[in-house]
Amino acid sequence: MKKVSIALLGCGTVGKGVIDLLAMNGPLIEEQLDTEITIKRVLIRDMPKYEQMELPDDILLTTDFADIVNDDEIEIVVEVMGSADFAKDCIEQCFKKGKSVVSANKDLIADYGMPLLKMAKECNVDFQFEASVAGGIPIVRPMYSSLNSNTMEEIIGIMNGTTNYILSNMTDTGMSYETALKEAQEKGYAEADPTNDVSGYDAGRKIAILATLGFHSALTFNDVSVEGIENIAQEDIQHAREMGYVIKLLAIARQDGDGISLNVHPAFIRKGHPLANVGGAYNAVYVRGNCVGDVMFYGQGAGSLPTASAVVSDVMNVILHCNINITGSRDFVWHDPKLKPQDSICAPYYLRMVVDNAPGVLSSISAVLAQHKISIRSLIQKDETTEIAEIVILIDSSAAGLVNQSLKEIEDLACVRKIANAIRVIEV
Amino acid sequence: MKKVSIALLGCGTVGKGVIDLLAMNGPLIEEQLDTEITIKRVLIRDMPKYEQMELPDDILLTTDFADIVNDDEIEIVVEVMGSADFAKDCIEQCFKKGKSVVSANKDLIADYGMPLLKMAKECNVDFQFEASVAGGIPIVRPMYSSLNSNTMEEIIGIMNGTTNYILSNMTDTGMSYETALKEAQEKGYAEADPTNDVSGYDAGRKIAILATLGFHSALTFNDVSVEGIENIAQEDIQHAREMGYVIKLLAIARQDGDGISLNVHPAFIRKGHPLANVGGAYNAVYVRGNCVGDVMFYGQGAGSLPTASAVVSDVMNVILHCNINITGSRDFVWHDPKLKPQDSICAPYYLRMVVDNAPGVLSSISAVLAQHKISIRSLIQKDETTEIAEIVILIDSSAAGLVNQSLKEIEDLACVRKIANAIRVIEV
């Protein structure tokens, strides 16, 4: 049986998962590859912390990346650290030394995936990153090797478990955003500083990666317009339910003859749609190709062993390639993307506003919408007190620029106290 | 740009889809491969029929397979005929001539997939068959190249669009099985002789293929215990609904320390489960691995372009392999399967029976169940007429052998007119 030595950069949740998975499924994996896998070295930051972890005795811990990159026995390096810049530097050094790399690092791939893939090819090594999007769900490889006969039209993902957990909890229990966030933090689903998740940045990085592959376009996180869930109130959840929708944080990539748009924002999605039923911390990616039609991938988007499942499958692919000397042989094609102006992106909108409970209010608001040729699909007015009323309007598909301009003008009306929310309806 | 010539065996729904897809997405596909694909020859049975089809002029039609297998310019043969034995013979001849093969033929793969993969390897050619299971949904390649780090525990599929369309229609509209079947036939979802679909054979072939790959075991259609939907009545659908379930035709492969079981049968599945929401002619495959947890793949399991999407992606993979001379390089590992006796397979059951409306009936029935140590979870008795009553029993998880023996004894009771149905409840 052949032998291959690998190294891990990082030993957090995912790194530990890789060690555990290889211990659990080692014989099955080695039989498939006719190759014995040894984790030879692990790069860590804090030696005392890891000396207390019960890692197998034969793994050498180091705080010095040079120990790994200069070890010629190590053929494959698994990067599971998280930060982008240091990881990028390490990976480039690995490539130069002829080592293939598997990464689970979405921050890195979203910003540097394309140049790293190019460099890997030049160095005749593999660079694989299935785990960077949606944890254990196979989506990166299917995108470039199973759906690649299609012109991709749409990729819509629920790709952040934290926000899906919070929104599902708000929907199921009626709790407020603040309470749901606190509970998610207590249960370990949200971090102490939840910004990266709740503001949509994490989902934005993942959609940039998938759109790069699906649209064969040089896209990065900078191309994604991002909006988080911080402004979603229980009232919005309830109005959505009454109208037959649920609210999800969606990452949306679309491509048509006019160009590409990349967005992350909360959205109304109709109850019967497969994406609407993705609950808790689960992830799902819904893809529409011009021939395959709509396809959805669903599963656990995070966690130690699910993410390790994707990482180790990548390692197995690299080993297969090493064994027949074809690392670095896959070509990826990219074009410069033509991005659509955000103002031109159309969707129906749900609008919720707090207004004076007085005659003429509806007429003033609908006049503004009419002036911008925005058509009202439905409207509900509820008196909150004798002084204040709440108005909920569903408008037909309208360009974001027009909607925003209208909302500014409506907010300037003397009878309008505030625009409480404006949420797009995604019709798929 | 490199050039590759391919041939199609068959030009029905899927073959025409391949021609159409290459016309639609040719440039995108060729750019990814740096290779121009030409469909040089197409094998057909009935020349006059195809001369009326509007096929591209440069495609040579033939009724003689020898024209294809002896054409050295043809590197890849796409088998989309359907029948098993003639297809097998053709494919073996292609392998011997150094041609790689892509097949969408589930009948063939379910019975001969493993020996054909072995022969392909010996001949240094590729053999790919993504489209043989669940049409356009990527599941075959993900199973062996993205989930292969897992010990697979369970594969549950809704993999037959015809039966899912019929059952969904019965659920949504309240129509009888007979009416739903007739409508499916009128709309082209079911064939004139629907046996292959409604009796579960089609789903059985697909689960044999997936289980072979997922469990690394030499399994064929013969190892699948198959039961169809012909016996599902509107009463069963309604009882399921009242209990919080829907009825689906499930193909189930399970593996644990005691062995492997392969079953196709109608089943109760709880309403909230992702598989329960798979409607109409859609397919879904739910997979549980020991590390990735549960993952689901959803999409169109049939149709011209969706199936062609999978076929052409396979062709693209073969071309990539041809271009770097690595066809036939993937090893597949198989063990002799240890199949569990069907009698030992446990599940909760829904039992519906028609009985005399008389004192002592319930007591006699429950005595039989108690004698076999089968525990009753819930029981509903409804008087149909003054003479006849219907009894619906949900029993706790019990071995199939015991359940069948009990049902025989219950049917022999003088007060029992018939066992109307016995349907397993799948708890996932």
Side-chain angles (χ1 to χ4, degrees), chain A residues 55-70:
Chain A
L55 298 179
D57 288 339
D58 53 346
I59 295 180
L60 304 171
L61 297 177
T62 175
T63 56
D64 185 1
F65 173 65
D67 288 344
I68 288 172
V69 76
N70 293 325

Side-chain angles (χ1 to χ4, degrees), chain B residues 105-310:
Chain B
N105 184 338
K106 59 193 161 294
D107 297 24
L108 171 89
I109 315 288
D111 283 344
Y112 306 116
M114 211 183 52
L116 285 172
L117 273 169
K118 278 185 186 160
M119 183 176 171
K121 184 155 180 71
E122 286 159 13
C123 298
N124 283 319
V125 295
D126 269 6
F127 181 49
Q128 304 214 2
F129 45 87
E130 179 63 68
S132 66
V133 181
I137 307 172
I139 178 65
V140 168
R141 188 169 302 109
M143 187 68 81
Y144 67 71
S145 77
S146 295
L147 298 169
N148 51 343
S149 55
N150 288 267
T151 302
M152 282 297 157
E153 297 168 352
E154 194 165 51
I155 305 167
I156 304 186
I158 295 175
M159 297 196 286
N160 178 271
T162 307
T163 47
N164 203 49
Y165 180 84
I166 291 172
L167 291 173
S168 300
N169 225 348
M170 288 173 71
T171 304
D172 296 343
T173 69
M175 63 174 63
S176 70
Y177 169 72
E178 290 71 21
T179 313
L181 171 60
K182 198 159 161 261
E183 198 190 296
Q185 286 170 321
E186 283 163 7
K187 292 201 172 170
Y189 287 119
E191 298 189 34
D193 175 1
T195 315
N196 192 37
D197 292 314
V198 299
S199 298
Y201 303 144
D202 175 79
R205 296 199 169 90
K206 292 166 180 169
I207 197 71
I209 297 171
L210 289 187
T212 297
L213 296 169
F215 299 160
H216 308 282
S217 290
L219 298 160
T220 70
F221 178 56
N222 277 333
D223 300 315
V224 188
S225 166
V226 175
E227 192 185 314
I229 64 163
E230 305 95 326
N231 198 26
I232 302 293
Q234 186 53 234
E235 288 89 332
D236 300 315
I237 303 263
Q238 284 172 22
H239 287 303
R241 180 184 294 128
E242 284 161 21
M243 294 172 173
Y245 294 97
V246 294
I247 300 180
K248 294 286 183 191
L249 181 70
L250 299 182
I252 303 172
R254 283 183 167 144
Q255 174 179 244
D256 62 23
D258 296 331
I260 289 171
S261 62
L262 298 182
N263 289 73
V264 172
H265 57 67
F268 276 39
I269 190 159
R270 68 174 165 75
K271 269 180 193 159
H273 192 275
L275 283 170
N277 296 312
V278 176
Y282 273 78
N283 278 200
V285 183
Y286 174 93
V287 174
R288 180 177 289 153
N290 72 334
C291 289
V292 74
D294 45 347
V295 178
M296 195 176 85
F297 303 76
Y298 165 95
Q300 293 182 52
S304 182
L305 286 174
T307 309
S309 162

Side-chain angles (χ1 to χ4, degrees), chain A residues 92-110:
Chain A
E92 287 172 346
Q93 290 190 52
C94 290
F95 288 171
K96 285 180 194 157
K97 288 278 194 170
K99 299 180 197 307
S100 288
V101 174
V102 170
S103 173
N105 186 337
K106 60 193 161 293
D107 296 25
L108 171 90
I109 315 290

Side-chain angles (χ1 to χ4, degrees), chain A residues 359-419:
Chain A
V361 173
L362 260 184
S363 142
S364 310
I365 292 170
S366 50
V368 173
L369 293 173
Q371 204 184 329
H372 290 286
K373 298 201 164 39
I374 290 174
S375 156
I376 293 175
R377 190 182 290 182
S378 72
L379 188 149
I380 306 165
Q381 177 170 350
K382 279 185 186 165
D383 293 352
E384 296 279 313
T385 67
T386 49
E387 289 185 349
I388 297 177
E390 187 189 56
I391 292 181
V392 171
I393 305 176
L394 209 61
I395 59 169
D396 280 336
S397 187
S398 310
L402 282 185
V403 174
N404 292 334
Q405 180 58 33
S406 305
L407 289 176
K408 261 185 211 150
E409 292 173 24
I410 289 172
E411 201 153 30
D412 285 344
L413 294 172
C415 59
V416 172
R417 300 198 174 196
K418 70 166 181 181
I419 306 289

Side-chain angles (χ1 to χ4, degrees), chain A residues 220-241:
Chain A
T220 70
F221 178 57
N222 278 333
D223 300 315
V224 188
S225 167
V226 175
E227 193 185 312
I229 64 162
E230 305 94 324
N231 198 26
I232 302 294
Q234 185 53 234
E235 288 90 332
D236 301 315
I237 303 263
Q238 284 173 21
H239 287 303
R241 178 184 295 129

Side-chain angles (χ1 to χ4, degrees), chain B residues 7-75:
Chain B
L8 307 187
L9 309 185
C11 194
T13 309
V14 180
K16 186 63 169 51
V18 170
I19 295 171
D20 292 343
L21 189 151
L22 286 172
M24 288 164 75
N25 296 341
L28 177 78
I29 290 168
E30 292 170 358
E31 185 187 23
Q32 288 176 70
L33 302 170
D34 190 28
T35 302
E36 193 187 318
I37 304 174
T38 307
I39 301 177
K40 186 173 175 190
R41 295 179 189 273
V42 175
L43 179 70
I44 54 174
R45 243 183 300 191
D46 178 15
M47 194 61 87
K49 182 175 157 197
Y50 289 95
E51 282 169 346
Q52 287 165 22
M53 278 173 77
E54 289 188 5
L55 298 178
D57 288 339
D58 52 346
I59 294 180
L60 304 170
L61 297 177
T62 175
T63 55
D64 185 1
F65 174 65
D67 288 344
I68 288 171
V69 75
N70 294 324
D71 184 339
D72 291 338
E73 210 180 63
I74 291 169
E75 291 181 63

Side-chain angles (χ1 to χ4, degrees), chain A residues 25 28 31-32 136 141 145-146 148-151 216 282 290-291 294-296 298 306 309 313 317 333 335, chain B residues 25 28 31-32 136 141 145-146 148-151 216 282 290-292 294-296 298 306 309 313 317 333 335:
Chain A
N25 296 342
L28 178 78
E31 184 187 24
Q32 288 176 70
R141 188 169 303 109
S145 76
S146 295
N148 51 342
S149 55
N150 288 267
T151 302
H216 308 281
Y282 273 77
N290 73 333
C291 289
D294 45 349
V295 178
M296 195 175 85
Y298 165 95
S309 162
S313 280
N317 273 283
V333 172
H335 299 280
Chain B
N25 296 341
L28 177 78
E31 185 187 23
Q32 288 176 70
R141 188 169 302 109
S145 77
S146 295
N148 51 343
S149 55
N150 288 267
T151 302
H216 308 282
Y282 273 78
N290 72 334
C291 289
V292 74
D294 45 347
V295 178
M296 195 176 85
Y298 165 95
S309 162
S313 280
N317 273 283
V333 172
H335 299 280

